Structure formats: structure tokens, C-alpha cells
């Protein structure tokens, strides 16, 4: 019954979404305020219905209703409750419902927080969001219904994929989807600008907080995904340039370009059609990601079980929505003219260069991800494009970006004087170079060129970010005036750039100084790795809620003192009979020690004899995710800046209009 | 007009994806097509002596990599039996990474379409032939050159549409 | 059936034994080469993994092959050639620089140069012409002079 209610709710939501599109569209066309107002009520109704449907599916999982095919395929009586709930988004159909539910959430937010927007812009924006909803709802109802029943009802389910039975699964997909879906708001605002022919600083000011919020969720989702892969996959890696990872990284890169471009458009009214294009691109890449992951055209550990019919639907949807958007862009964008001069050596000029590198980086990732498909489609053979390519191509594009991060904050708008800039940056330059040489030498005793280069970039971003805050605070008279007087947007920017530097440091150190060893140990035997002594204390059988495991104990000592006792496991999940490596990580901010069980080397079934183990020493590994966390925090601060919360009256004083059709 | 560039790029990508939906990204084509069969010299199952790549020349043959532990091999087995019996196709079996006793038992139970069964216990021949999963079947012409590779189980359709014509053309 | 299960049970332990023995007998530079190579070679039966991280039997076989060839004195290119002869370019995660991959390898560099040039030209285009103002001033002065 619950399942049918959920299904029905989706159908009603489709109806509400159709109303959400067509009535406001009519209202914009005929300038009818009542029709425009329908947008909000239709949108809120649709959101509520979708939340209800999501609740129905969650209910079915919580109460283990195996008559629902999706529940039977992804759950099990022994599955712990927390994973029963996360199993809702564990496979294709349910994750689509999560997508649609999150879209409902963003739609609801836009329908509430739009006091400062003209009625026709709100209506157009909600109508565009409605088209996205219609696309995904139709996709679910026609090809991927999570509420399909299963008869005869099985006594037990097939269980959630063991790789997904991890805390990472609880939070990574929702956060990532918040980002993917959130870019649809910027997209909708961009379409509204094209349709209305109006794009001014006020438009940029409305769009920025929404876009920054989507961006920070995307950053959080990607960071969590990397952290999760590290813990779960057992090979110590944290980024593989896998097509599905790239599918999230490309919209992130373009989204980063977008938030910077919006700054230029807001401040100086420049780059209008470029900003609109970026907004369409960012969301377009999100849709592309959806296609790549669910259609079966690429091979990935992350890919959902594919079905060409589904692939055809998504491709069709993608073609229609992006085709219409780009055609609208080609038609209307030339009318979004900007008045104003831009020179390269100014903040807006440097931000333009920033955009160049970010967009080319995204294009390069796209090229590498799609190239095997291209070669195969042209029947020229089969090739693979993996980490060696992406690292070779991405790092040279990334380095100039980090350099500019340090410069851009000190460069003023409109025109900069080289002498001033050099004076400002002399001290950070010296500190960064010194730190890049001294720190690795001190910690590790040797500093290869790659480390000094990467270290310089990281320290450069960190020191210049700190300097910016320092400079601004010093201009105020008291500490509290300094802390609260500096705009949140500036705090956010500095913190995000600081995070970028921390990330760069983490990547540099982990890439150059990681040590990995495969060993064979008997219980009681010890081995040394990078100054740490690892004593294998044997393996004993354990029984978990839905798995049986070989539970290992390894004691780690440093200079004779016990530093940690870790428990790597090899789990056999009973329902699926799938083996999982549960790596054990001991971490401090400065280093990770990672131990994974390989295979039992003794012949007896108890597995209590010798084992093959994999040991890793990874310095500064935490900085990779800490950097991401700082970027997210920076985004939160930037999105909640006071000037986005101005009233309508104050708004009128601030707005500068230009270019009307 | 430069404003049309995005929609043109989109059009190109959509065409690419439409074409991509038809292909299987996991299938790895063989670089050995058109090349002579890789050299090997291995023992036979159930008889004395050995077999080498030289013995594959002189007439078109199918070389079928299989194993007793392989599920897909069970699926294709009836097709192979039919080919051997009704179409009189010469199929040489390569027992890949298998224990000889297991292979003997398996063939006794399911029947054998093979004129000869070669023992590739270590998988060295498999490595040289670019085998990445069993079953795989190679079609050789009379000169011992590989003209086709069937990846995965042999099917009646594959035989009819692709392999039979090749073998007919190759019989000289 | 029992034999099958026994075989399957043995396979993982065989893989484990090889894993630990993987680097046995290699000196430091050989071990470094080994590690780099196994991270650059693709496991053909896996869902996008290299042979270093995969537990699949084929991955183990390929790691063994790489190890054997390093100990036999072959250089990296020879080992890669050996594998591409049998499996094609698909097995390399680092795509070779050939005619088909020209666009792949040169694309990003060409794109970034093109984009930088376009950005520069764009800023030139936004420049306000100052000559018109000078001419207008000239005309204005003339008119004023005439009407004096």
C-alpha cells in the first residue's frame, strides 16, 4: 500500500511539475501576474509530493518490505538499520528518487527565498526547474520505477553491496547530489536572464549565493567520496580519475569558474554572456555525468547497472534540455552586452584567466574521459586513458591557477600597478619558497624538485590567504572590529584559498613520500616501515551482523612506544558471499598508517596462520581532505555574506542597471 | 557566429554518445587478428605426446580456450558439440589453468567436441594468445593465421553470421 | 563440485602468496620500476582498476609476468610491448603517443593557448576608442572659435 502511495505521489508530482512549467510560462508570455504566482504553489506542491514518495521508499526499507523489488534487490533482514536507510540510494532507481527529492528541496528553497526577485524571474526560474523535474520524473516512471512490486515475495533480500555498507555511503551521495542538483538553480537563473533579456549586477547578486552553496556541497561531496574510497577500497588510493569521479570533477571545475565569473559580473557588469554560458555548462556537465554513470557507455567501479534503454532516455533528455538552452543562448546572448573596459592586469582580467584555466582543465578531463569512447565509435580500436594521462595534463593547468590565487586578492579592480603588487607579494613569495625547501627537508631529510614545486604552490596559497586577512584586519582599530568588520565574503574567499593551499600540500607530500610494502607475516612477527615497527598479532574469526570476518590485530610501535593497535579485516558478507577488505587506518594530522589484510597464506580453513599484508605510510594524507573541508567552510561563509540578505529597498540603491532589450 | 559553438559541440557529443550506446566498452578486441598463431608446445590431455602451433596449420580450425571451472563454457558447450558433430568442424580445446583430472571429469560428464585437448595448466599459452577470460574461441585459417576471435561463449548466431563464412573462405 | 570449490578456495591463497613474493629478489630500482609499471597497466577483467590494486587471477598473472621480465633484464618499453602485442593498447593506462592519440595529447595544450589568445583579444575589444573623443574636442573648439 505504502509503495503504491509513493508511486502515485510521483505521478501527481509529474502533474504538478507540468503545471509548474506551463502556467508560469504563459504568465511570462502574457504578463499575467496570477499565472506567474502559480509557479510557487505548483513548485511547493511538487516538492511535498516528491518528499512523500521518498518517505514511502524509506519506509519500505525500514520495515523490510521485500515485496518491493528494489528493496529485495538492495536490502536484507540482517542489514543494520542505518544501512537499510542508506540503501534507499544504493542503486539506480532509488538514487534517482534521491536526485528528484533533492531537486524538490532546491525548488522549494527558490520558491520561498525570492523576495528580492522580480515576479517574472521567479516564475521563469521555477518553470525551468520544473522541466528538469519533469525529465527525471518521467525517467523514473517510464524506465526506473523504484516502487515496482515483486511476486512471489522473497523471504529475504539480496543485501546491499558490501562496498556501500560504510559510513561514507550515508553522507557522500546526498552531499554530492546537493551539489549536482544545486547547479540547476544557477542554470535556471541563467535561462531566466536569457529569456527576459535582462542581466545586471542585481541578477549576479541573486545568483551568487545559490551557486556558491551548490559549489560548496559539490566540494563536500567530492571530498567525502575521496575519503570513502580510501577507507573502503583497500588499496590506499584516494583519486583514480575514474570516469565517474571525473563526472563529478568536471562540473566542479566549471562551477568554480562560475563563482569567480559571477564576481566579475556583479562587480563590474562584465562577462555577462560568458557567465550565462558557464551556468548552462555547469549543469550540463551534471546531466552528462548522470548519463555517463547510468547508460553503460563507460566502465567504472561506480557505474550503476546499465540498460541501453535507460541510456537512450537520458541522452534524449540531455539533448532536448541542453540543445534548447544552447539554442536560446545563441539567439539571446548577443543582446546581453556589457559596457566597460577590461584589461588583463586587473582583478577582472586575472579572474578571466582563472576561468580560462579552469574551463580548459574541465575540457581536458572531458577529452580524456570520452576519448576511449571516441576511438571505439570510430572503430579505430580500443585504448585506455588513465591516471598517467590525467595527471600529466591536469597538473600543468592547475599550477598557474594556484599562482594566481595568491595574486588575485591583492590586485585591485579596473587597473593594477605592477609595482604595488610586487611590493605586496614580496614577503609571501620569500616565505613560501623558504617553507617549501625547509619543511620537507626537516621532516623527511630530502626534498625532490617535485616536492619543492608543489610545496611552494601550497605555501604560496596559504600565506597569501593569511596575508589578505591580516592586511584587512590591520586596517581596523580593534580586534573585534577586525574580525567582524571584514566582510564574510572576504573571510570565505581567504579560507577557501587557504584550503586549496592545504590540499596542494597534502597532495604533494603524499605523492612523493608515500611508502608501500607488501609483506608476509606470521603471528608475532614484526617488520619495519619508515621508522615504524608493525607487529602482526594474528587473525581471529569474528561474527558481524551480516558478515563473518577474519579480524586481524596489528600493533604499531614508534621508537619503542606503542603508537596504535589497528584491526584490519577481511569480511565475507553472508547474503552475497562477497569478500570485502576493511582496511585499518591510524591517522594523525601529519601522517596516515594504513594496514590491509591481503590473503591468508596458510592451508587451513581457520585462517589463523600466516597472512599477506599491505602496509602504507602516507605523510600529510589528512591534509587532502582537510583542504577540502576548509574550502567548504569558505563557501559557507561566502554564501552567507550580509549583502545577499539586503532588503528590497536597499537593493534598489545598490543595483546598477545596464543592457536592456 | 561564435555563439553557435556550444550547440555545435553538443551536437557532436550527442552523435558520439548515440554511437557509444551500441558498443560494449568491456570487450577487448584482439591485436592478433591477421597474425600467425602464437608459438606453443604443450602436452595433451588423455594421450601421449605434445602439440604445437605448427600442428594447427593445413586446414581451418577453431581453438577454444575453456576450463572446468568456467560457467560460460558450460553455456557454450552444446553449441560446440553441435558444430563438431553436424558441421564436422575441427575444434582444438585449450584447457586453461585447470587440473587435468578436473578437465577429464568435466569432459566425461558434458561430452567432448574436441579433436584434441591441450593442457595449458599455467596459462602461458593463454597469456600469449591474449586470453583475458574464458571461454574464448579463435578462428584460424589453413595457414595458421588468426582471422577472428569470439570473445565469450560461442553462439549459433556468431557461428552463422561471422565464423562459418570465414571458415568456408579459408578452406583451401 | 567439491574439487571445483577446493580449486576456488585455493585460488585466493595462491594470489596472496604471489603478492608477498611479488617483490622478492628485486633491488630498489627494480622494485620502483615494478611498482610504477603495475600501476600503469590495466586489469582487463576488472571494472577499471590497475593490476596493482586488483585481486583478480589475471591481474596476478600479469604482475608475475612483469616481475619475471624485470628480473630477466627487460626494460619498461619491452615489457609494455610484450603486453600490447597480446592485449592491444587497451592494457596501457598511459595512452601511447600515436596518430590516433594526437588529439588527446595535444588537445589540452592547444586549447589553453587558443583560450588565452581569445581572452586577450576579448580584452582588446572592450577597449574604448579615445580617438573619437579627440576629434570631437577638435570640432567643438573650432565651432566655439567660429562663434566668438
Amino acid at each position: 500500500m505504502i509503495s503504491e502511495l509513493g508511486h502515485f505521489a510521483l505521478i501527481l508530482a509529474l502533474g504538478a511539475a507540468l503545471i509548474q512549467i506551463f502556467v508560469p510560462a504563459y504568465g511570462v508570455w502574457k504578463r499575467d501576474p496570477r499565472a506567474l504566482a502559480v509557479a510557487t504553489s505548483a513548485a511547493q506542491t511538487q516538492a511535498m509530493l516528491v518528499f512523500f514518495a521518498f518517505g514511502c521508499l524509506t519506509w519500505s526499507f525500514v520495515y523490510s518490505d521485500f515485496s518491493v523489488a528494489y528493496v529485495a534487490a538492495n536490502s536484507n533482514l540482517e542489514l543494520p538499520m542505518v544501512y537499510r536507510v542508506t540503501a534507499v540510494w544504493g542503486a539506480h532507481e532509488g538514487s534517482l528518487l534521491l536526485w528528484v527529492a533533492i531537486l524538490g528541496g532546491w525548488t522549494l528553497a527558490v520558491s520561498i527565498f525570492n523576495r528580492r526577485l522580480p515576479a517574472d524571474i521567479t516564475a521563469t526560474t521555477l518553470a525551468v526547474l520544473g522541466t528538469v523535474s519533469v525529465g527525471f520524473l518521467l525517467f523514473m516512471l517510464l524506465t526506473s520505477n523504484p516502487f515496482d512490486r515483486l511476486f512471489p515475495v522473497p523471504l529475504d533480500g539480496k543485501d546491499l553491496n558490501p562496498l556501500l555498507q560504510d559510513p561514507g555511503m550515508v553522507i557522500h551521495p546526498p552531499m554530492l547530489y546537493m551539489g549536482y542538483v544545486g547547479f540547476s538553480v544557477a542554470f535556471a537563473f541563467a535561462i531566466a536572464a536569457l529569456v527576459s533579456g535582462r542581466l545586471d549586477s542585481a541578477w549576479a547578486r541573486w545568483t551568487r549565493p545559490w551557486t556558491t552553496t551548490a559549489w560548496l556541497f559539490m566540494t563536500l561531496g567530492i571530498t567525502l567520496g575521496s575519503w570513502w574510497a580510501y577507507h573502503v577500497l583497500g588499496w590506499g588510493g584516494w583519486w583514480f580519475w575514474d570516469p565517474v569521479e571525473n563526472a563529478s570533477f568536471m562540473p566542479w571545475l566549471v562551477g568554480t569558474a562560475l563563482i569567480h565569473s559571477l564576481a566579475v559580473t556583479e562587480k563590474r557588469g562584465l562577462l555577462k554572456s560568458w557567465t550565462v554560458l558557464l551556468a548552462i555548462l555547469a549543469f550540463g556537465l551534471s546531466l552528462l555525468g548522470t548519463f555517463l554513470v547510468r547508460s553503460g557507455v563507460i566502465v567504472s567501479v561506480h557505474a550503476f547497472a546499465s540498460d541501453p534503454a535507460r541510456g537512450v532516455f537520458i541522452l534524449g533528455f540531455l539533448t532536448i534540455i541542453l540543445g534548447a538552452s544552447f539554442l536560446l543562448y545563441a539567439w539571446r546572448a548577443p543582446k546581453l552586452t556589457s559596457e566597460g573596459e577590461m584589461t588583463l592586469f586587473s582583478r577582472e582580467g586575472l579572474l578571466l584567466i582563472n576561468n580560462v584555466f579552469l574551463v580548459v582543465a574541465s575540457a581536458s578531463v572531458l577529452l580524456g574521459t570520452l576519448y576511449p569512447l571516441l576511438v571505439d565509435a570510430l572503430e579505430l580500436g580500443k585504448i585506455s586513458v588513465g591516471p598517467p594521462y590525467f595527471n600529466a595534463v591536469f597538473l600543468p593547468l592547475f599550477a598557474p591557477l594556484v599562482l594566481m590565487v595568491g595574486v588575485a586578492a591583492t590586485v585591485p579592480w579596473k587597473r593594477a600597478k605592477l609595482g604595488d603588487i610586487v611590493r605586496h607579494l614580496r614577503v609571501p613569495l620569500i616565505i613560501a619558497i623558504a617553507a617549501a625547501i625547509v619543511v620537507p627537508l626537516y621532516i623527511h631529510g630530502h626534498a625532490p624538485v617535485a616536492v619543492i614545486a608543489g610545496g611552494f604552490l601550497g605555501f604560496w596559497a596559504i600565506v597569501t590567504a593569511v596575508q589578505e586577512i591580516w592586511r584587512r584586519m590591520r586596517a581596523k582599530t580593534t580586534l573585534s572590529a577586525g574580525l567582524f568588520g571584514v566582510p564574510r565574503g572576504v573571510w570565505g574567499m581567504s579560507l577557501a584559498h587557504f584550503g586549496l593551499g592545504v590540499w596542494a600540500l597534502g597532495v604533494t607530500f603524499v605523492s612523493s613520500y608515500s611508502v608501500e610494502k607488501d609483506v608476509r607475516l606470521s603471528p608475532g612477527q614484526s617488520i619495519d616501515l619508515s621508522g615504524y615497527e608493525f607487529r602482526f598479532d594474528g587473525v581471529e574469526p569474528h561474527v558481524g551482523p551480516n558478515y563473518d570476518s577474519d579480524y586481524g590485530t596489528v600493533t604499531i610501535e614508534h621508537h619503542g612506544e606503542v603508537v596504535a593497535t589497528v584491526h584490519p579485516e577481511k569480511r565475507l558478507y553472508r547474503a552475497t558471499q562477497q569478500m570485502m577488505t576493511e582496511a585499518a587506518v591510524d591517522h594523525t594530522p601529519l601522517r596516515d598508517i594504513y594496514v590491509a589484510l591481503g590473503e591468508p597464506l596458510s592451508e587451513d580453513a581457520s585462517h589463523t596462520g600466516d597472512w599477506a599484508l599491505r602496509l602504507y605510510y602516507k605523510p600529510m594524507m589528512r591534509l587532502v581532505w582537510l583542504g577540502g573541508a576548509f574550502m567548504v567552510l569558505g563557501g559557507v561563509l561566502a554564501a552567507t555574506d550580509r549583502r545577499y540578505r539586503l532588503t528590497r529597498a536597499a537593493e534598489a540603491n545598490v543595483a546598477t542597471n545596464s543592457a536592456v532589450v | 557566429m561564435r555563439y553557435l559553438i556550444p550547440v555545435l559541440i553538443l551536437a557532436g557529443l550527442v552523435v558520439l554518445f548515440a554511437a557509444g550506446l551500441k558498443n560494449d566498452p568491456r570487450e577487448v578486441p584482439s591485436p592478433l587478428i591477421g597474425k600467425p598463431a602464437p608459438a606453443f608446445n604443450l602436452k595433451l590431455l588423455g594421450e601421449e605426446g605434445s602439440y604445437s602451433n605448427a600442428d594447427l596449420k593445413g586446414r581451418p580450425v577453431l581453438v577454444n580456450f575453456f576450463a572446468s571451472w568456467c560457467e560460460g563454457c558450460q553455456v557454450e558447450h552444446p553449441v560446440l558439440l553441435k558444430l563438431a558433430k553436424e558441421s564436422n568442424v575441427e575444434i582444438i580445446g585449450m584447457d586453461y589453468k585447470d587440473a587435468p583430472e578436473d578437465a577429464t571429469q568435466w569432459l566425461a560428464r558434458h561430452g567432448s567436441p574436441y579433436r584434441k585437448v591441450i593442457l595449458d595448466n599455467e596459462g602461458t599459452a593463454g597469456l600469449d594468445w591474449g586470453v583475458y577470460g574464458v571461454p574464448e574461441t579463435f578462428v584460424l585459417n589453413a595457414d595458421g593465421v588468426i582471422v577472428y576471435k569470439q570473445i565469450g561463449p560461442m553462439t549459433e548466431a556468431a557461428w552463422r553470421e561471422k565464423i562459418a563464412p570465414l571458415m568456408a573462405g579459408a578452406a583451401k | 563440485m567439491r574439487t571445483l570449490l577446493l580449486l576456488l578456495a585455493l585460488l585466493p591463497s595462491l594470489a596472496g602468496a604471489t603478492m608477498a613474493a611479488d617483490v622478492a629478489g628485486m633491488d630498489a630500482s627494480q622494485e620502483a620500476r615494478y611498482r610504477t609499471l603495475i600501476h600503469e597497466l590495466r586489469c582487463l577483467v576488472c571494472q577499471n582498476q590497475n593490476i596493482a590494486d586488483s585481486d583478480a587471477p589475471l591481474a596476478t598473472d600479469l604482475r608475475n609476468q612483469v616481475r619475471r621480465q624485470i628480473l630477466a633484464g627487460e626494460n619498461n618499453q619491452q615489457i609494455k610491448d610484450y603486453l600490447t602485442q597480446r592485449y592491444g593498447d587497451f592494457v596501457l593506462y598511459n595512452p601511447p603517443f600515436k596518430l590516433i592519440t594526437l588529439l588527446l595529447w595535444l588537445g589540452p595544450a592547444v586549447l589553453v593557448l587558443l583560450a588565452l589568445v581569445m581572452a586577450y583579444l576579448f580584452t582588446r575589444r572592450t577597449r574604448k576608442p579615445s580617438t573619437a573623443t579627440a576629434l570631437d574636442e577638435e570640432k567643438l573648439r573650432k565651432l566655439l572659435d567660429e562663434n566668438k
Side-chain angles (χ1 to χ4, degrees), chain A residues 242 342 371 384 386 389 614, chain C residues 42 48 52 90 93 100 104 126:
Chain A
D242 177 87
M342 183 188 276
Y371 212 77
S384 296
Y389 172 80
R614 219 177 212 182
Chain C
R42 183 169 193 160
N48 201 28
F90 187 73
Y93 266 132
I100 334 174
L104 179 70
T126 66

Side-chain angles (χ1 to χ4, degrees), chain A residues 38-62:
Chain A
V38 169
T40 309
S41 28
Q44 290 176 344
T45 310
Q46 189 240 118
M48 291 302 146
L49 285 166
V50 161
F51 294 156
F52 178 73
F54 188 82
C56 290
L57 189 61
T58 309
W59 176 285
S60 301
F61 268 94
V62 167

